[in-house]
Amino acid sequence: MKSKHPASILHAILVAIAAFAAVSCSTTRRIPDDDILYTGLKGVSYEAPDSVRLPSAMKTSITNSVNVRPNNSVSILGYVWRYPFPLGLWVYNNWPNPEKGFRHWLYEKLAAEPVLLSDVRPEVRTHMIEQILDNNGFFRGTATYELIQGRNKKKAKVKYTVTPGPGFPVDTVELLPDTCHLYHLIDSLALKDRYLAAKSPRFSTDSLNIARTRIVNGLRNRGYYFFTPNFIEFLADSIARREHIALRLTLASNMPPFARRRYTTGKVTVHLDRYQGGGTPDTIATRRATLIQMMPSRFRRKLLDEAITFRKGRVFSVRNMDRTQSYLSRLGIFNAIDIQPCIDTTATDRNVLDVDVYATFDSPLEASIEVNASSKSNSYIGPGLTLGLTNKNVFGGGEQLSVKLTGAYEWQTGHGRKGNVFNSYEVGLNASLAFPRLLAPKFFRGTRRELNWTRISLGADLLNRPHYFKMAQFNTGISYDWRYRRYVSNTFTPLKITYTKLIHTTTEFDSIMTANPAVAQSFKSQFIPQMQFAYVYDRAFGRDNTLNWSFTVQEAGNVFWGLYRACGVKGEKRLFGLPFSQFVKGQAQLVWGRRLGRGDNWLVTRVAAGAAHAYGNSSQVPYSEQFYIGGANSVRAFTVRSIGPGSYRGPEGSQAVDNFDRTGTFKFEANIEYRFPIMGPLHGALFVDSGNIWLLKSDSLRPGGTLRASTFLKDLALGTGFGLRFDISMLVVRADLGIGIHCPYDTGKRGYYNMESFKKSLAFHLAIGYPF
């Protein structure tokens, strides 16, 4: 059987060539005599007097209802575009379709059934347009269509003509008679509704449905739990006043008696089940609920009174259901939460709702793994790995103990080291204990709607550059995360102490440090006592715009310096026998996203800047606190620490330059990225990145590295590229290929495009998550 496949493939190719050589009518040869091939929408035109103007959203809705995709077309940014090679139609009209075999399989893969005019049914779509007009208050409107044909009468586009009638405003709204609490409440909510309370709004069924939902939400938050939107009806009268609508609000005749009742909260019972199932029930009464907990399991019972917002005897509110669900969910210790109100059939008062809360503990242990890698054509390679383990319920109150082991390895083969392998690695072990509450005095202004955290951290990192140095860093600190608004989060770190120490240096490194005193100062062993504040504003404006603005300010050594000065200590001040660093540092970032068209196409831009300045007890900002650029989340045409500061390049053939003196005290980045879906979870991206780092203090040994307004634009590295993202919501795996356009230092090439070669301008990055 295998020997026949080449002949079959050759036959298929010959048939394909014959099909492409066929005349244009070959795409309609199998079209029935009483039908026509639909080739797309010619357009929608509107014939209306100047006094009648349709909203743009309504025009979009009309276009969407008639814009059927023809054969050989693709939807880009919400618009349908036809490409000129109807391969599927050619195969369908000219190839035979055997019952089985390779040619049958190939036919099924290539052939596309024609989209016929009988499939589009334009006469039905004109009625759809008229219905849209009526639903939006443009009564007495009409819609027609015509076929636009060329020389081939078996093909046609469709053009629609819309003639809307005048827009009918709502003249009056008649409410329910104020004869009971339910009617009074409905009238009150209707009078506060934005649409119903507006002056002569244009009639719109969508707006009425939204108003009905808002009224029902208000009722359900005031005790009428079983009331649903279909129990409210609006009757419209267009006869009382010409070209105006009179509305009457009424209740459905089939509304059951229990929907008219106003309920109060009865008994609240919380059932906590183990994630393994089974266990022994333990019942205890708390201040706000009865807890039935399957043992053994960990749960701080004080949290129950904080999470349960129901109050026995008070009016039942759906808002309390949502808040209770939210408060329990944000603890992060349950994998399922279900709240079920039910009428207490044993009570004499049938207007009481008992509440049962069912929650199942999640597995307390959670493991995570993150992998990233980068590669450049000049032989830089750098994979990285992060392993994490978290206990999400250490003490039974949602406390999280996390341990992360990180590792990164990079090397450069050949080039400049006589064939030796230049490699380095970085390993780190970091642990944190997070409490879902503020363990601090009540000077933070938070909100109960959000969870606030206290975090205690401890970590150690080891950085090894085999030909130069080995550095260790230890840190510990405490921080507070809280929210006082829905879109604003804050982090305050009152104390973080970092200790850096050079464990080992080589003769080559010592000679470089002797020749570069400024760089040497940033590497000295020292303590870094810090205080930091971070602010994040993250908000979505509708479905089409997102905004994220963040800034961080931090200082180091100022508190200790002030204490020493108060005690009369002059000169260099030390902590545990070592000098401590003193500097200020600030960073800011603005990310804006805009949806393009109707699909999941986004244009995302970012601008970021930062500055750091050492003074007092330090002449240089510590190496670990300086800025660097390049990599998977920065200017992606360049690897980490491969450019900067400014136009500085370093001695020819120096490998040290490409590793540890590519840092600065000022940073600027700008990025723009177009993200679009390809198929299923696979997405694509096109991007342009620009940025660099500079020195705020001049360094004669790094010429061109100082920030200057006259050379700022020339010093900006520029790159472009494309990437793929595999997005499954909870995890995004990203691969980006950056292409360098402009290098900030002298490469020997003239002009703005000064890359040494196209091959050397490529950089590949594999990472987890979006870059910004």
Side-chain angles (χ1 to χ4, degrees):
M1 294 297 294
K2 293 183 179 179
S3 62
K4 295 182 180 180
H5 281 187
S8 299
I9 296 174
L10 178 61
H11 182 269
I13 293 174
L14 293 176
V15 173
I17 294 174
F20 274 101
V23 294
S24 60
C25 65
S26 63
T27 59
T28 59
R29 188 163 59 89
R30 292 180 58 188
I31 302 297
D33 294 337
D34 58 346
D35 216 332
I36 295 176
L37 178 68
Y38 171 75
T39 57
L41 176 67
K42 183 63 176 177
V44 181
S45 63
Y46 296 89
E47 296 180 354
D50 294 338
S51 59
V52 178
R53 294 188 177 182
L54 301 184
S56 58
M58 184 177 166
K59 289 184 177 180
T60 300
S61 178
I62 290 175
T63 301
N64 291 342
S65 66
V66 299
N67 196 11
V68 181
R69 281 182 56 179
N71 292 99
N72 52 289
S73 65
V74 63
S75 178
I76 301 177
L77 299 180
Y79 297 95
V80 176
W81 305 85
R82 292 194 76 203
Y83 46 86
F85 305 108
L87 175 62
L89 282 177
W90 278 329
V91 172
Y92 175 84
N93 281 275
N94 297 280
W95 280 24
N97 184 14
E99 292 184 359
K100 57 183 179 178
F102 174 76
R103 283 185 292 176
H104 170 75
W105 174 85
L106 189 62
Y107 178 90
E108 294 294 330
K109 292 296 181 182
L110 296 179
E113 290 193 11
V115 179
L116 303 177
L117 199 65
S118 59
D119 300 323
V120 178
R121 301 179 69 184
E123 69 282 355
V124 174
R125 298 187 183 276
T126 58
H127 292 304
M128 294 170 60
I129 295 175
E130 292 171 355
Q131 187 64 50
I132 293 174
L133 293 173
D134 289 347
N135 289 342
N136 286 273
F138 294 92
F139 294 102
R140 298 200 296 268
T142 60
T144 58
Y145 76 93
E146 61 177 316
L147 303 182
I148 308 299
Q149 296 174 295
R151 289 179 298 177
N152 188 347
K153 300 305 180 182
K154 296 295 291 181
K155 296 181 180 180
K157 293 179 179 292
V158 180
K159 179 182 180 181
Y160 295 90
T161 301
V162 180
T163 306
F168 282 36
V170 176
D171 188 35
T172 59
V173 179
E174 181 182 340
L175 302 178
L176 296 170
D178 192 1
T179 57
C180 63
H181 181 270
L182 174 61
Y183 289 8
H184 176 81
L185 187 55
I186 292 175
D187 291 349
S188 176
L189 292 170
L191 290 173
K192 296 177 182 178
D193 185 79
R194 293 190 297 271
Y195 178 75
L196 297 177
K199 184 178 181 180
S200 300
R202 178 172 45 81
F203 177 83
S204 169
T205 56
D206 288 340
S207 298
L208 287 176
N209 288 332
I210 294 172
R212 179 164 51 184
T213 301
R214 284 196 288 253
I215 292 172
V216 171
N217 288 340
L219 292 174
R220 300 186 77 213
N221 284 325
R222 292 167 174 81
Y224 295 93
Y225 174 71
F226 295 104
F227 204 99
T228 59
N230 59 300
F231 293 153
I232 291 182
E233 296 178 349
F234 288 100
L235 304 180
D237 182 6
S238 60
I239 300 177
R241 185 179 176 188
R242 188 173 181 270
E243 295 185 356
H244 285 72
I245 296 293
L247 284 181
R248 176 185 295 173
L249 190 154
T250 184
L251 298 185
S253 58
N254 62 344
M255 186 171 65
F258 61 83
R260 296 176 176 269
R261 297 175 188 165
R262 191 184 192 201
Y263 294 90
T264 58
T265 304
K267 296 179 296 183
V268 180
T269 307
V270 179
H271 308 260
L272 299 185
D273 296 326
R274 302 168 71 238
Y275 77 97
Q276 310 99 321
T280 303
D282 181 20
T283 304
I284 186 173
T286 67
R287 186 161 53 93
R288 295 183 180 173
T290 299
L291 173 64
I292 303 176
Q293 182 177 353
M294 302 303 291
M295 304 298 289
S297 58
R298 289 183 177 181
F299 184 72
R300 291 180 68 248
R301 290 165 180 173
K302 181 182 177 182
L303 293 177
L304 196 64
D305 291 335
E306 297 176 359
I308 300 298
T309 59
F310 295 103
R311 302 292 186 275
K312 186 175 181 179
R314 294 189 181 180
V315 173
F316 186 88
S317 172
V318 173
R319 186 181 293 113
N320 285 332
M321 289 181 59
D322 297 337
R323 288 176 177 174
T324 300
Q325 178 102 20
S326 175
Y327 293 166
L328 291 173
S329 297
R330 69 186 188 182
L331 292 175
I333 62 177
F334 301 111
N335 66 9
I337 299 172
D338 184 27
I339 301 178
Q340 298 181 3
C342 58
I343 299 176
D344 185 358
T345 57
T346 62
T348 54
D349 184 1
R350 294 299 178 89
N351 295 340
V352 175
L353 284 179
D354 290 342
V355 181
D356 287 294
V357 181
Y358 297 90
T360 304
F361 284 103
D362 197 0
S363 173
L365 295 180
E366 181 178 84
S368 64
I369 180 171
E370 295 182 10
V371 180
N372 61 77
S374 65
S375 174
K376 203 171 191 294
S377 58
N378 61 359
S379 304
Y380 279 95
I381 304 175
L385 178 68
T386 299
L387 300 175
L389 183 65
T390 301
N391 187 324
K392 299 181 291 184
N393 194 23
V394 180
F395 307 121
E399 299 85 1
Q400 297 184 1
L401 176 62
S402 300
V403 179
K404 284 190 176 182
L405 176 64
T406 60
Y409 187 81
E410 62 180 22
W411 64 88
Q412 184 185 29
T413 58
H415 307 309
R417 295 204 61 85
K418 299 180 180 180
N420 294 330
V421 176
F422 176 79
N423 53 31
S424 65
Y425 64 83
E426 182 176 0
V427 294
L429 182 63
N430 296 273
S432 68
L433 179 60
F435 298 85
R437 49 196 170 274
L438 295 178
L439 304 178
K442 302 296 183 180
F443 56 84
F444 296 118
R445 186 164 63 93
T447 173
R448 272 200 77 208
R449 292 195 302 268
E450 304 292 342
L451 199 59
N452 306 309
W453 291 91
T454 301
R455 304 180 192 274
I456 302 172
S457 61
L458 180 66
D461 292 275
L462 179 65
L463 176 63
N464 183 53
R465 299 281 196 244
H467 298 291
Y468 301 107
F469 66 88
K470 183 182 290 185
M471 173 186 285
Q473 177 176 290
F474 305 91
N475 64 81
T476 184
I478 182 171
S479 63
Y480 301 98
D481 298 336
W482 79 98
R483 290 175 177 264
Y484 64 89
R485 292 179 183 173
R486 179 183 303 176
Y487 310 110
V488 177
S489 61
N490 307 270
T491 300
F492 176 57
T493 305
L495 180 62
K496 177 184 178 183
I497 297 180
T498 304
Y499 171 61
T500 61
K501 180 176 178 58
L502 277 173
I503 300 175
H504 171 73
T505 61
T506 65
T507 303
E508 184 177 355
F509 178 81
D510 292 338
S511 63
I512 295 173
M513 293 300 100
T514 302
N516 295 267
V519 178
Q521 282 293 320
S522 68
F523 273 93
K524 69 179 183 180
S525 299
Q526 59 190 313
F527 281 97
I528 311 174
Q530 298 183 61
M531 183 183 298
Q532 178 177 299
F533 175 75
Y535 174 95
V536 178
Y537 179 86
D538 191 1
R539 184 174 183 180
F541 296 88
R543 297 180 61 256
D544 298 331
N545 292 277
T546 61
L547 177 67
N548 179 283
W549 177 59
S550 62
F551 72 84
T552 303
V553 291
Q554 64 187 97
E555 64 82 26
N558 292 309
V559 174
F560 285 88
W561 184 87
L563 293 175
Y564 276 83
R565 284 296 301 268
C567 296
V569 179
K570 297 183 179 180
E572 186 180 59
K573 300 164 182 59
R574 293 175 174 265
L575 182 64
F576 303 116
L578 288 174
F580 59 83
S581 182
Q582 189 174 4
F583 65 89
V584 292
K585 181 180 179 181
Q587 301 181 73
Q589 176 177 277
L590 180 66
V591 179
W592 175 73
R594 169 70 180 177
R595 186 192 299 271
L596 303 178
R598 299 186 297 272
D600 196 19
N601 300 272
W602 286 86
L603 186 68
V604 185
T605 58
R606 173 177 69 166
V607 178
H613 176 66
Y615 58 96
N617 214 46
S618 302
S619 60
Q620 295 292 330
V621 177
Y623 175 75
S624 60
E625 294 293 339
Q626 293 194 24
F627 300 106
Y628 58 87
I629 203 163
N633 299 322
S634 181
V635 184
R636 284 162 281 185
F638 303 89
T639 52
V640 176
R641 295 187 178 92
S642 62
I643 53 174
S647 59
Y648 171 69
R649 184 174 190 180
E652 185 69 26
S654 172
Q655 295 297 321
V657 172
D658 289 333
N659 289 273
F660 54 79
D661 69 344
R662 294 288 198 181
T663 58
T665 51
F666 185 86
K667 177 181 180 179
F668 177 81
E669 281 187 51
N671 313 78
I672 182 169
E673 182 170 286
Y674 169 54
R675 301 169 183 170
F676 53 91
I678 297 178
M679 182 177 63
L682 184 64
H683 293 66
L686 302 174
F687 56 82
V688 177
D689 304 324
S690 181
N692 205 343
I693 53 172
W694 292 266
L695 301 172
L696 294 180
K697 294 181 179 179
S698 298
D699 184 356
S700 60
L701 298 175
R702 286 187 282 181
T706 308
L707 178 65
R708 301 185 187 282
S710 58
T711 59
F712 178 79
L713 294 178
K714 185 179 178 181
D715 288 347
L716 290 174
L718 182 66
T720 185
F722 58 91
L724 296 175
R725 289 93 168 88
F726 189 76
D727 188 349
I728 55 175
S729 298
M730 296 183 65
L731 177 68
V732 177
V733 180
R734 171 168 56 94
D736 288 329
L737 180 64
I739 305 171
I741 295 177
H742 176 72
C743 200
Y745 54 77
D746 184 8
T747 62
K749 295 292 186 69
R750 293 183 178 181
Y752 187 77
Y753 179 80
N754 63 348
M755 307 306 296
E756 295 181 36
S757 68
F758 180 77
K759 180 181 178 181
K760 291 184 178 181
S761 71
L762 301 178
F764 176 75
H765 304 280
L766 180 65
I768 301 294
Y770 286 100
F772 46 84

